[in-house]
Amino acid sequence: MPDALKEATCCGTPTPRAPGFWQRGGWLVLALPLWFVIYHFLEPFANWLAYSRLGLAATSRLGSAVAFFAYDAPKVLMLLSLVVLGVTFVQTFISPERTRDILAKRAGAWGNLLAAVFGIFTPFCSCSAVPLFIGFVRVGVPLGVTFSFLVSAPMVNEVALFLLLGLFGWKIALIYASTGVGVAFLAGWVIGRLRMEKHLEPWVMQIDFKPSTMAEAPKSLSDRLDLAMEGVRDIVGKVWPYLLAGIAVGAFIHGYAPEALMARIMGKAAWWSVPLAVLIGVPLYSNAAGVIPIVQALLGKGAALGTVLAFMMAVTALSLPETIILRKVLRLRLIAVFIAVVTAGILLVGYLFNAIM
Amino acid sequence: MLIEILGTGCPKCELLAKHAEEAARSLGLEYRIMKVKEIPDIMARGVMSTPALAVDGVLKLQGHVPTVRSLAELLKA
C-alpha cells in the first residue's frame, strides 16, 4: 500500500496508522448478503403479520393498508440505506469546484446538457446554493448553464433515482432522470437565450471572489467509507419521518382510495390533472425520497405516469424556501422567468408522458 | 490555533464546528473557534461550497463535514 509507505516515511515520529479499508469496511462483506436475504423475505413477512398474526382479511381495506405499510416501511428504509451508502461513497469523488471548472466558459446547448447531468450527482448542501450560484457565474459559467445545474440538482435527486430503480425498475428510473435532465436543459437554455445577466442583483458581480486553489488532502478508501457511513446516518436520520409519513399516506391511498375515482382524477383522460398535480405539488415541500411511497401508491391506483411525474417534479424542483433564497441574487424578473420556465417544462413532461404511455 | 468555520449557519456548519472542536480537544490543542457567516466574507476567502474550514487563516477543506478522526489528522498536520 503506497499510502502507508508515504505516511511512514513522511513524518519523523511514526503515527498510529489510520485503519485500512478492510478493517473499517470488512463487516460489509457479511452485511450486504444479509441485507439481500432480509429484503427478499420482507413481503412474506408483512403478509404473515397482517393476515395471519393480526387476522385481517386480505380483501379488506384495513388489511391491505396494513400489509402495504408493513411491507413498504422496512423495504424503503433498507433500500434507502443501501442507496445512500453507495451514492455518498461515489460522491466523495465529485465536488462542486470540479464541476464548476468543467462547466466554465462552456456556452451553448452542450453546456446546458452537461450542467443538467452534473446537477444530478454533484453533492452540495442546499444551504450553499447562493455562494455556489455566485461562484459559478463569477468564474465564467454562463448564466443559462448555471441554471441548468441549479434546476437539475433538486429535481433529479440521486437518491430518489436509485430508489425508483429499486422499487419500479430501470424504465421508470430512466424516464425520471431523462425528463428531469430535459426540463433542466430546457429551462437553462431559455434563460441563457433571453440574456438575463442584467437581472442579477448587482452585488453578485461586485463582491470579492477569487476561487481558492486549495488542494485538499487526498482521501483514502477508508476515509470515503467513513464519509459514506456518516452520510447514511445523516440522511436516513433526517429523512425517515418523511418517509414513514409518505408511506402512511401511501398505505391509506392503497387501502382506501377508490380506484375508479382516482383513475378519473389522476388518469390520462382528465386533461386538467397535470396542472392540478403541479399546483398541489408546489406548496408541498418534501425530500424526493418522501414523495416516492405516495407516487408508488398513486401509480398502483391507476394514476397516469405523466401526472405522477409532474407531481413529483413540482414537489422537489419548485419550492417556496428555495425561491426566497434565490431572491437574494436574482431580481424579480429573473425569478419569474425561472418559475415560469420550470413550470412549463414540468407541464410539458406531464402531457408528453400521458400522451405516449 | 485559530479554527474558522465558514458557512451561513446551516445544520452542516454547526456539525462541522462540533466535530472540529471535538478533534481539537482530543489533541489537547489550544484553540479558538470563529464562525464566518456572511456570504461576502465567505466568498472573499475563495469559498463557494460551504461548510468550509480554515486553520490559522489557511483554507483546509470545503463542501463537506469529515469525521472527527480525519479532522484530528488534519489539525495535527
Coordinates of all heavy atoms in Angstrom, one line a residue, chain A residues 18 96-97 100 125 127-128 130-132 134-136 208-212 214 216 226-227 230 234, chain B residues 8 10 12 19 39-40 43-50 59-62 64-67 69 73:
Chain A
A18 N -4.0 5.1 10.4 CA -5.5 5.0 10.3 C -5.9 3.7 9.8 O -5.2 3.1 9.0 CB -6.0 6.1 9.4
P96 N -18.3 20.3 -6.1 CA -18.8 21.4 -6.9 C -17.8 22.2 -7.6 O -18.0 22.7 -8.7 CB -19.5 22.3 -5.8 CG -19.7 21.4 -4.7 CD -18.7 20.3 -4.7
E97 N -16.6 22.3 -7.0 CA -15.5 23.0 -7.6 C -15.1 22.4 -8.9 O -14.8 23.1 -9.9 CB -14.3 23.1 -6.6 CG -14.5 24.1 -5.4 CD -15.4 23.5 -4.4 OE1 -15.6 22.3 -4.3 OE2 -16.0 24.3 -3.6
R100 N -17.7 23.0 -11.5 CA -17.7 24.4 -11.9 C -16.6 24.6 -12.9 O -16.8 25.2 -14.0 CB -17.4 25.3 -10.7 CG -17.2 26.8 -11.0 CD -16.6 27.5 -9.8 NE -15.2 27.0 -9.6 CZ -14.6 27.2 -8.5 NH1 -15.1 27.9 -7.5 NH2 -13.3 26.8 -8.3
C125 N -24.6 21.0 -0.2 CA -25.5 21.3 0.9 C -26.5 22.4 0.3 O -26.0 23.4 -0.2 CB -24.8 21.8 2.1 SG -25.8 22.5 3.4
C127 N -27.9 24.6 1.6 CA -27.7 26.0 2.2 C -26.6 26.7 1.5 O -26.4 27.9 1.7 CB -27.4 25.9 3.7 SG -26.0 24.8 4.0
S128 N -25.8 26.0 0.6 CA -24.8 26.8 0.0 C -25.2 27.1 -1.5 O -24.3 27.4 -2.3 CB -23.4 26.1 0.0 OG -23.4 24.9 -0.7
V130 N -26.6 29.8 -2.7 CA -26.3 31.1 -3.1 C -24.8 31.3 -3.4 O -24.4 31.8 -4.4 CB -26.8 32.2 -2.0 CG1 -26.2 33.5 -2.3 CG2 -28.3 32.3 -2.1
P131 N -23.9 30.9 -2.4 CA -22.5 31.1 -2.8 C -22.1 30.2 -4.0 O -21.3 30.7 -4.8 CB -21.7 30.5 -1.5 CG -22.7 30.3 -0.5 CD -24.1 30.5 -1.0
L132 N -22.7 29.1 -4.2 CA -22.5 28.3 -5.3 C -22.9 29.0 -6.6 O -22.1 29.0 -7.6 CB -23.3 27.0 -5.2 CG -22.7 25.7 -5.8 CD1 -21.5 25.3 -4.9 CD2 -23.7 24.7 -5.9
I134 N -23.2 32.2 -7.1 CA -22.2 33.3 -7.4 C -20.9 32.8 -7.9 O -20.3 33.3 -8.8 CB -22.0 34.1 -6.1 CG1 -23.3 34.7 -5.6 CG2 -21.0 35.3 -6.3 CD1 -23.3 35.4 -4.3
G135 N -20.4 31.7 -7.2 CA -19.1 31.1 -7.6 C -19.2 30.7 -9.1 O -18.2 30.9 -9.8
F136 N -20.2 30.0 -9.5 CA -20.4 29.6 -10.9 C -20.3 30.7 -11.8 O -19.5 30.8 -12.8 CB -21.7 28.8 -11.1 CG -21.6 27.3 -10.8 CD1 -21.0 26.9 -9.7 CD2 -22.1 26.4 -11.7 CE1 -21.0 25.5 -9.4 CE2 -22.0 25.1 -11.5 CZ -21.5 24.6 -10.4
D208 N -16.0 40.5 -3.7 CA -14.6 40.0 -3.9 C -14.7 38.5 -4.0 O -15.1 37.8 -3.0 CB -13.8 40.5 -2.7 CG -12.4 40.1 -2.8 OD1 -11.9 39.9 -4.0 OD2 -11.7 40.1 -1.8
F209 N -14.3 37.9 -5.1 CA -14.2 36.4 -5.1 C -13.2 35.9 -6.1 O -13.2 36.2 -7.3 CB -15.6 35.8 -5.5 CG -15.6 34.3 -5.7 CD1 -15.4 33.5 -4.6 CD2 -15.7 33.7 -7.0 CE1 -15.3 32.1 -4.8 CE2 -15.6 32.3 -7.1 CZ -15.5 31.5 -6.0
K210 N -12.2 35.2 -5.6 CA -11.2 34.5 -6.4 C -11.2 33.1 -6.0 O -10.9 32.8 -4.8 CB -9.9 35.2 -6.3 CG -9.3 35.7 -7.6 CD -7.9 36.0 -7.5 CE -7.6 37.5 -7.4 NZ -7.3 38.0 -6.1
P211 N -11.6 32.2 -6.8 CA -11.7 30.8 -6.3 C -10.4 30.3 -5.7 O -9.3 30.5 -6.2 CB -12.0 30.0 -7.6 CG -11.8 30.9 -8.8 CD -11.9 32.3 -8.3
S212 N -10.6 29.6 -4.6 CA -9.4 29.1 -3.8 C -8.7 28.0 -4.7 O -9.3 27.3 -5.4 CB -9.8 28.5 -2.5 OG -10.4 27.3 -2.7
M214 N -6.9 25.8 -3.1 CA -6.5 24.8 -2.0 C -6.6 23.4 -2.6 O -7.5 23.0 -3.3 CB -7.5 25.0 -0.9 CG -7.5 23.9 0.1 SD -9.0 23.7 1.0 CE -10.1 23.1 -0.2
E216 N -7.0 19.8 -1.4 CA -7.4 19.1 -0.1 C -6.6 17.8 0.0 O -6.2 17.2 -1.0 CB -8.9 18.7 -0.2 CG -9.6 19.0 1.1 CD -11.1 18.9 0.9 OE1 -11.8 19.8 0.5 OE2 -11.6 17.8 1.2
D226 N -15.9 6.0 5.6 CA -16.4 6.7 6.8 C -17.4 7.8 6.4 O -18.4 7.9 7.0 CB -15.2 7.4 7.5 CG -14.5 6.5 8.4 OD1 -15.0 5.4 8.6 OD2 -13.4 6.9 8.9
L227 N -17.1 8.6 5.3 CA -18.0 9.6 4.9 C -19.3 9.0 4.4 O -20.4 9.6 4.7 CB -17.3 10.4 3.7 CG -16.2 11.4 4.2 CD1 -15.5 11.9 2.9 CD2 -16.8 12.5 5.0
E230 N -21.3 8.1 7.5 CA -21.8 9.3 8.1 C -23.0 9.8 7.3 O -24.0 10.3 7.8 CB -20.7 10.4 8.0 CG -20.9 11.5 8.9 CD -20.2 11.4 10.3 OE1 -19.8 10.2 10.6 OE2 -20.0 12.4 10.9
D234 N -26.7 10.5 8.6 CA -27.2 11.9 8.4 C -28.5 11.8 7.7 O -29.5 12.3 8.1 CB -26.1 12.7 7.7 CG -26.5 14.1 7.6 OD1 -27.1 14.7 8.6 OD2 -26.3 14.7 6.5
Chain B
T8 N -23.1 29.6 6.3 CA -24.2 30.5 6.7 C -24.9 30.2 7.9 O -25.9 30.8 8.3 CB -25.2 30.7 5.5 OG1 -25.5 29.3 5.1 CG2 -24.5 31.4 4.3
C10 N -26.1 26.8 8.7 CA -27.0 25.7 8.5 C -26.5 24.5 9.4 O -25.5 24.6 10.0 CB -27.0 25.3 7.0 SG -25.4 24.6 6.5
K12 N -25.3 21.7 8.8 CA -24.0 21.1 8.5 C -22.8 21.9 9.0 O -21.8 21.4 9.4 CB -23.8 21.0 7.0 CG -24.7 19.8 6.5 CD -24.0 19.2 5.3 CE -24.7 17.9 5.0 NZ -24.7 17.5 3.6
H19 N -17.6 18.9 15.3 CA -16.5 17.9 15.0 C -15.1 18.5 15.2 O -14.2 17.9 15.8 CB -16.7 17.4 13.6 CG -17.7 16.3 13.4 ND1 -17.9 15.6 12.3 CD2 -18.7 15.9 14.3 CE1 -18.9 14.8 12.5 NE2 -19.4 15.0 13.7
I39 N -22.1 35.9 3.6 CA -21.7 35.3 2.3 C -20.6 36.1 1.6 O -19.6 35.5 1.2 CB -23.0 35.3 1.3 CG1 -23.9 34.2 1.8 CG2 -22.5 35.0 -0.1 CD1 -25.2 34.1 1.0
P40 N -20.6 37.5 1.6 CA -19.4 38.2 1.0 C -18.1 37.8 1.7 O -17.1 37.7 1.1 CB -19.8 39.6 1.2 CG -21.3 39.7 1.3 CD -21.7 38.4 2.0
M43 N -17.1 34.3 0.6 CA -16.6 34.3 -0.8 C -15.3 35.0 -1.0 O -14.5 34.7 -1.9 CB -17.7 34.8 -1.7 CG -19.0 34.0 -1.6 SD -19.9 33.9 -3.1 CE -18.9 32.9 -4.1
A44 N -15.0 36.0 -0.1 CA -13.8 36.7 -0.2 C -12.6 35.7 0.1 O -11.5 36.0 -0.3 CB -13.8 37.9 0.8
R45 N -12.9 34.6 0.8 CA -11.9 33.6 1.0 C -11.8 32.6 -0.1 O -11.0 31.6 0.0 CB -12.2 32.9 2.3 CG -12.5 33.8 3.5 CD -11.2 34.4 4.0 NE -10.4 33.4 4.7 CZ -10.5 33.1 6.0 NH1 -11.3 33.8 6.7 NH2 -9.7 32.2 6.5
G46 N -12.5 32.8 -1.2 CA -12.4 31.9 -2.3 C -13.3 30.7 -2.2 O -13.2 29.7 -2.9
V47 N -14.2 30.7 -1.2 CA -15.0 29.5 -1.0 C -16.4 29.7 -1.6 O -17.0 30.7 -1.4 CB -15.2 29.3 0.6 CG1 -16.2 28.2 0.9 CG2 -13.8 28.9 1.2
M48 N -16.9 28.7 -2.3 CA -18.3 28.7 -2.7 C -19.1 27.5 -2.2 O -20.3 27.6 -2.3 CB -18.3 28.8 -4.3 CG -17.8 27.6 -5.0 SD -18.4 27.6 -6.7 CE -18.3 25.8 -7.0
S49 N -18.4 26.4 -1.8 CA -19.3 25.4 -1.2 C -19.0 25.3 0.3 O -17.9 25.1 0.7 CB -19.1 24.0 -1.9 OG -17.8 23.8 -2.1
T50 N -20.1 25.5 1.0 CA -20.0 25.5 2.5 C -20.5 24.2 3.0 O -21.2 23.5 2.3 CB -20.8 26.7 3.1 OG1 -22.2 26.5 2.6 CG2 -20.3 28.0 2.6
L59 N -7.1 28.0 4.3 CA -8.3 27.1 4.0 C -7.8 25.6 3.9 O -6.9 25.3 3.3 CB -8.8 27.5 2.6 CG -10.2 27.0 2.3 CD1 -11.2 27.5 3.3 CD2 -10.6 27.4 0.9
K60 N -8.6 24.8 4.6 CA -8.2 23.4 4.7 C -9.2 22.5 4.0 O -8.8 21.4 3.5 CB -8.0 22.9 6.2 CG -6.8 23.5 6.8 CD -5.5 23.0 6.2 CE -4.3 23.5 7.0 NZ -3.1 23.1 6.4
L61 N -10.5 22.8 4.1 CA -11.4 21.9 3.4 C -12.7 22.7 3.1 O -13.0 23.7 3.8 CB -11.8 20.7 4.2 CG -12.5 20.8 5.5 CD1 -14.0 20.7 5.3 CD2 -12.1 19.7 6.5
Q62 N -13.4 22.3 2.1 CA -14.7 22.9 1.8 C -15.7 22.0 1.3 O -15.4 21.0 0.6 CB -14.5 24.1 0.8 CG -13.7 23.7 -0.5 CD -13.5 24.9 -1.4 OE1 -14.3 25.9 -1.3 NE2 -12.5 24.8 -2.3
H64 N -17.7 19.8 2.7 CA -18.2 18.5 3.4 C -17.8 18.5 4.8 O -17.0 19.3 5.3 CB -17.7 17.3 2.6 CG -16.2 17.1 2.7 ND1 -15.6 16.3 3.6 CD2 -15.2 17.7 2.0 CE1 -14.3 16.3 3.4 NE2 -14.0 17.2 2.5
V65 N -18.4 17.6 5.6 CA -18.1 17.5 7.0 C -17.4 16.2 7.2 O -18.0 15.1 7.2 CB -19.4 17.5 7.8 CG1 -19.1 17.5 9.3 CG2 -20.2 18.8 7.5
P66 N -16.0 16.2 7.5 CA -15.3 15.0 7.7 C -15.6 14.4 9.1 O -16.2 15.1 10.0 CB -13.8 15.4 7.6 CG -13.8 16.8 7.4 CD -15.2 17.4 7.6
T67 N -15.2 13.2 9.4 CA -15.3 12.7 10.7 C -14.3 13.3 11.7 O -13.4 13.9 11.3 CB -15.0 11.1 10.7 OG1 -13.7 11.0 10.1 CG2 -16.0 10.4 9.8
R69 N -12.2 11.9 13.5 CA -10.9 11.3 13.3 C -10.1 11.9 12.2 O -8.9 12.3 12.4 CB -11.1 9.8 13.0 CG -9.8 9.0 13.0 CD -10.1 7.5 12.9 NE -10.9 7.2 11.7 CZ -10.3 7.0 10.5 NH1 -9.0 7.2 10.4 NH2 -11.0 6.8 9.4
E73 N -6.5 14.4 12.3 CA -5.3 14.2 11.4 C -5.0 15.5 10.7 O -3.8 15.9 10.6 CB -5.6 13.1 10.4 CG -5.0 11.8 10.9 CD -5.5 10.6 10.1 OE1 -5.5 10.7 8.8 OE2 -6.1 9.7 10.7

